[in-house]
Amino acid sequence: MTQLSFDTLNIPEAMQRNLRDLGYISMTPIQAESLPISLASQDVIGQAKTGSGKTAAFGLPMLNKLNPSYFGIQGLVLCPTRELATQVANELRRLARYKPNIKIITLSGGVSIGPQIGSLEFGAHIVVGTPGRILDHLSKKTADFSHVSTLVLDEADRMLDMGFQDDVNTIIEATGDHHQTLLFSATFPDGVEKMCRRLLPHATRVEIVDDAPKQTITQRFFNTTAKTKETDLLAALAYYNPQHTVIFCNTRQGVQDLTQTLRNEGYTVMPLQGDMDQRDRDQTLVLFSARCVSILVATDVAARGLDIDDLELVINYDLPRQTENYVHRIGRTGRAGKSGHAISLVNDGERYKLDLIANETNQTMTPEALPQPKSDQLAISQPAMVMLSIDAGKKQKIRPGDVVGAITGTSDIPADVLGKITIMPFTSYVAIQRAFANKALQHLASGTIKGKKLKVRLL
C-alpha cells in the first residue's frame, strides 16, 4: 500500500501541526483505511493487530469533534486490561495537545475507586477504562455516559475472551443512541461477529490482516520433551544470555512455576499473570521496562498492552494455541526496524501447533537441536539497573525533576547514572545504576523531596 501523509486528511491545521511534532508522518494501513471514514462521523469496524496504530485511528476522530468548553464525558474507550487502558490514555493525551484543557481520565480496577470519583466530580472530556470498573461507576452513579459522542471498543476479542460480554452490553446501553461507534479487534470469533451485527449493522468494515511475522525477527524452533523442557530453557538462556526477555506460558500456574524455577537458578525474574493484584502488576511492569529485571514470565492476556522498547529476545516456553497470539508474542521484539530474536521450545505434543502456525503464516518452521552453551556462558549476569521506590507520587505533586534534583542536587551522584523515572499516583520509581544505588538510597533517606521527608526503599 502506498504510504499516505496525515496532511491528506480533512483535519484542522493545529491537529496537523501536533501530529508532525509527535513524529506522525505517514499513516499506517489501518489509519489510512479507516480515518477518512471515521472523520466523516461514520461507524467503523476495524480488524488490526496491536501496534498497528489503532489509538490514532480512533483518537483523531474522537478529538476532532470534542467540545473543550463542555466538561461532560464525550468520548469513551473500553479496553480489556488496565495496562492497555493506561497506554491508550497516555497516547490520547499526546494527540490532544493541540486543544487546551482537555481532560482524559483512566478508570480501571485494582486501585481505589475514591480518587476516581473525585476526578470525575470536576468533569472529564474522555474516559478510558476497563468494563468492570466502568460498570462500578455506573452502578454508583458517579459517571454519566449519556452524552458520549464517540464510543470505542478496543481489542473487542480480548474483552469477550475475558468474560466482559454482559458488562460491555450494559455500558453500551448507558451511552444512549446518538453516538459514533468504532470497534477494533485483532480477530473476529463468533461473539465479536454477533456484537458487530447487533451494535454496528451499517458500519464500514476495514480489514488489515497480516499474519506474517516481521522480517526483522529471526525465528528458531528447538526440539524438547516434557521432561527436559526446564533444563532446555536454562540451556537456551545461557546460550543467548539475554539482558531483557519475555518468556510466554499458556497458563497462570505455568507462569508461577517457571518464575520460581528461574529464581532458584539465580535469575532476576518477575511473573505477570491475571491473579496478581494491580499494585504488583504495576510494579512488575515498572521494574521490567526500566531494565531492573532481566526476565518477565507472562501469559498472553496479562501481557496485552505491554509496550517495551528494545526487547532483544522472546521465548515461547509453551507454543500458543492460536496463530495470532504467536505473531503477537514475537512482535514484542524487532521493533522500529531493529533486529530481534524469537525462539520456541517444541515437544512432540506441540508439533500440531507448530504446523498450524507454519501453514497460516506461510512459513517453513523446522525444529532443530538446541545449541549447547559453552563453559564461559554459564555465569548469570545481573541487571545493570536497580529500582528505588519513593512513597509519594502525582497526588503529592511529585515530578521527575523533583526526583532527579533530590538525588543529584546536593550529592556527587551524576545524573547520567539515573534511568527511567515513573511517577504513579502515590509512588514514584527511579532506576539507577547498581553501583550507585546504596549511596542514592542513603542520600534520599537523610534528605527531603519538595521539602518533605519521604520513605524510600530499594526494590
Side-chain angles (χ1 to χ4, degrees):
M1 178 183 292
T2 303
Q3 288 191 325
L4 293 176
S5 168
F6 284 92
D7 293 341
T8 62
L9 297 174
N10 183 25
I11 55 177
E13 173 56 32
M15 181 184 278
Q16 297 274 18
R17 190 163 52 249
N18 184 52
L19 288 170
R20 289 193 292 270
D21 291 344
L22 294 175
Y24 281 78
I25 306 300
S26 297
M27 289 186 277
T28 65
I30 189 62
Q31 293 165 355
E33 292 289 327
S34 68
L35 278 171
I37 303 166
S38 55
L39 285 167
S41 296
Q42 299 178 43
D43 293 344
V44 170
I45 297 170
Q47 181 169 5
K49 299 189 180 302
T50 297
S52 58
K54 292 188 277 89
T55 304
F58 60 71
L60 296 184
M62 177 187 293
L63 292 167
N64 193 46
K65 68 172 75 168
L66 213 61
N67 177 5
S69 62
Y70 173 58
F71 272 80
I73 300 170
Q74 301 165 57
L76 174 60
V77 184
L78 295 182
C79 300
T81 66
R82 185 187 184 200
E83 289 77 17
L84 183 59
T86 300
Q87 181 182 324
V88 167
N90 287 338
E91 188 60 20
L92 287 176
R93 290 185 184 104
R94 282 168 25 97
L95 293 171
R97 286 177 185 172
Y98 76 100
K99 279 189 173 183
N101 303 317
I102 298 300
K103 186 175 179 181
I104 300 171
I105 291 179
T106 306
L107 301 179
S108 51
V111 295
S112 173
I113 198 171
Q116 295 178 355
I117 294 173
S119 294
L120 286 167
E121 288 177 349
F122 293 96
H125 296 99
I126 296 173
V127 164
V128 185
T130 52
R133 181 49 61 93
I134 296 292
L135 201 62
D136 290 341
H137 283 282
L138 278 174
S139 65
K140 293 178 180 293
K141 295 182 170 39
T142 50
D144 179 10
F145 299 109
S146 62
H147 299 289
V148 165
S149 58
T150 308
L151 171 66
V152 177
L153 305 179
D154 193 15
E155 299 201 358
D157 52 348
R158 288 294 171 184
M159 281 195 282
L160 267 58
D161 282 347
M162 296 168 71
F164 287 133
Q165 174 81 67
D166 292 340
D167 291 357
V168 170
N169 289 339
T170 302
I171 294 166
I172 291 171
E173 291 174 4
T175 59
D177 298 325
H178 306 291
H179 55 70
Q180 178 185 23
T181 302
L182 308 174
L183 182 148
F184 290 89
S185 189
T187 61
F188 280 79
D190 288 344
V192 177
E193 290 288 3
K194 289 177 182 176
M195 177 183 288
C196 290
R197 288 194 295 270
R198 179 179 58 82
L199 179 64
L200 298 160
H202 306 298
T204 301
R205 192 155 186 156
V206 176
E207 297 184 17
I208 308 297
V209 181
D210 181 12
D211 280 332
K214 291 177 286 189
Q215 296 301 309
T216 54
I217 302 173
T218 301
Q219 303 170 70
R220 296 183 71 181
F221 308 89
F222 298 126
N223 288 311
T224 187
T225 67
K227 290 184 177 180
T228 63
K229 207 172 196 181
E230 284 188 358
T231 302
D232 290 337
L233 174 65
L234 295 173
L237 287 171
Y239 179 81
Y240 282 94
N241 190 29
Q243 302 305 300
H244 212 211
T245 185
V246 175
I247 303 175
F248 282 101
C249 297
N250 287 347
T251 66
R252 297 172 179 177
Q253 189 60 51
V255 166
Q256 292 300 122
D257 292 345
L258 187 58
T259 297
Q260 191 57 54
T261 296
L262 294 175
R263 283 176 176 168
N264 292 343
E265 294 293 328
Y267 285 99
T268 306
V269 54
M270 296 288 285
L272 186 66
Q273 48 85 10
D275 279 342
M276 297 167 59
D277 65 45
Q278 199 59 55
R279 181 182 176 85
D280 288 342
R281 287 160 66 94
D282 288 343
Q283 187 168 287
T284 293
L285 290 172
V286 167
L287 284 164
F288 186 69
S289 63
R291 305 181 78 89
C292 299
V293 170
S294 299
I295 300 173
L296 185 68
V297 185
T299 57
D300 287 302
V301 171
R304 205 70 173 180
L306 184 68
D307 188 19
I308 305 295
D309 293 329
D310 296 330
L311 192 62
E312 59 193 276
L313 178 68
V314 168
I315 301 176
N316 289 305
Y317 185 73
D318 300 321
L319 273 179
R321 300 177 182 91
Q322 295 178 311
T323 298
E324 58 264 27
N325 283 346
Y326 174 80
V327 176
H328 177 75
R329 286 180 180 185
I330 71 170
R332 302 296 184 182
T333 185
R335 291 189 168 188
K338 297 180 181 179
S339 61
H341 299 274
I343 67 173
S344 302
L345 301 180
V346 186
N347 61 38
D348 288 342
E350 294 183 304
R351 285 301 296 266
Y352 77 95
K353 296 180 186 176
L354 186 65
D355 293 340
L356 182 64
I357 293 169
N359 289 335
E360 293 187 358
T361 59
N362 195 28
Q363 296 181 95
T364 299
M365 296 178 170
T366 305
E368 55 186 300
L370 185 71
Q372 294 302 307
K374 298 177 181 178
S375 57
D376 60 354
Q377 293 178 299
L378 297 179
I380 297 173
S381 57
Q382 296 299 311
M385 310 294 285
V386 295
M387 185 69 74
L388 296 176
S389 170
I390 303 167
D391 282 359
K394 291 180 182 177
K395 296 297 183 181
Q396 290 76 35
K397 309 298 184 183
I398 299 294
R399 297 183 178 183
D402 300 324
V403 177
V404 174
I407 294 175
T408 65
T410 58
S411 73
D412 57 356
I413 300 174
D416 59 6
V417 305
L418 301 181
K420 186 173 181 178
I421 298 174
T422 304
I423 310 296
M424 305 291 279
F426 298 100
T427 310
S428 299
Y429 300 95
V430 54
I432 186 169
Q433 289 181 17
R434 185 177 296 273
F436 292 86
N438 286 327
K439 187 173 184 179
L441 179 64
Q442 293 170 6
H443 184 69
L444 287 173
S446 61
T448 63
I449 300 178
K450 299 193 78 168
K452 295 181 180 180
K453 289 192 71 67
L454 299 172
K455 185 177 180 181
V456 184
R457 60 196 176 97
L458 184 65
L459 296 182

